[in-house]
Amino acid sequence: KEEIWRQPLLNDSGLRDTPTLIANLMLPFGNMTAYFQLPEWVEDWNNIPEEKDDDPPDIKALKRFLAGDDDYRNHRIKVVPFIVNGPLAIRVIKPAPREVNVYGPRHPAKWLQVPKSIDSCTRKANAAILECNIDLFSNANVRKIINIVRPHLPGITIDVALIISAPKESEIEEPSACLGLWRIEKVDFESAAVFPELPLEDALERVTMLMSAMEGNSAVKVSA
């Protein structure tokens, strides 16, 4: 499921109270998401504050990342996973921590920018959202690997760092930053929460689009 930011459950829990980066892993059997608070100066995606000479390196990296296009972000967003605990077979083959690209030909990433807005009903300010949807189910090989790992997730603990890092082949030295850390600890998807149905407004919008498409197809058939 994409556009996690639309889920009423998350919005009611305060998702739009502060600028937020959402990392949304779209798996064959569900979604795994992580949320990271962004600075309050993130309001307008077309007007990210300019980089200053006295900005710390991590702030420079963040400003460049937020102001960059999808290609720039895809080549710089990475994770550093570390297996903390798990079954013996997992502990034996535990790889050393290293940077892993979030984006790749077999696991594409799609970026969605949601601007700051005012709720027309409550007049409440909704903070800006940057959502990264990582497709981990379309590619057959990736899907097969994930389905093999799934039964073992309840016994595995993994620490993950989300970082901004320059591509290895880059000849230009760029600042880097750690966007956040989180722990994936003994996840059991069988007992995970189920997303509620679409909000009424979104459901009506999709029905309207489908009906318009059907009418268009009907018109083509009649004219033929």
Side-chain angles (χ1 to χ4, degrees), residues 15-18 115-120 122-128:
L15 177 67
R16 301 297 301 277
D17 290 350
T18 184
K116 181 180 179 180
S117 63
I118 301 296
D119 190 295
S120 58
T122 64
R123 307 308 299 171
K124 176 184 175 183
N126 292 321

Side-chain angles (χ1 to χ4, degrees), residues 54 58 112 116 132-133 140 142 153 169 181 198 209 211 214:
D54 58 350
D58 56 341
L112 178 65
K116 181 180 179 180
C132 180
N133 296 298
V142 172
L153 284 176
E169 67 276 9
L181 305 168
L198 282 172
M209 292 175 60
M211 292 180 65
M214 292 171 63

Side-chain angles (χ1 to χ4, degrees), residues 27 139 156 179:
L27 305 165
N139 182 273
I156 299 175
L179 294 175

Side-chain angles (χ1 to χ4, degrees), residues 141-192:
N141 290 328
V142 172
R143 186 168 61 248
K144 185 181 297 184
I145 292 172
I146 290 175
N147 283 328
I148 291 174
V149 173
R150 178 186 179 180
H152 304 286
L153 284 176
I156 299 175
T157 300
I158 305 174
D159 285 341
V160 185
L162 184 67
I163 64 173
I164 300 171
S165 179
K168 291 182 179 179
E169 67 276 9
S170 177
E171 298 179 356
I172 302 175
E173 185 175 351
E174 294 189 53
S176 60
C178 179
L179 294 175
L181 305 168
W182 82 96
R183 170 167 286 190
I184 302 172
E185 185 169 20
K186 301 179 179 179
V187 176
D188 181 8
F189 273 90
E190 299 302 327
S191 61

Side-chain angles (χ1 to χ4, degrees), residues 21-26 65 74 77 102-103 108-112 129-134:
L21 167 64
I22 302 175
N24 177 31
L25 303 179
M26 299 186 296
F65 180 78
N74 283 338
I77 189 74
V102 169
Y103 167 84
K110 178 181 177 182
W111 295 88
L112 178 65
I129 296 288
L130 178 62
E131 180 173 320
C132 180
N133 296 298
I134 303 105

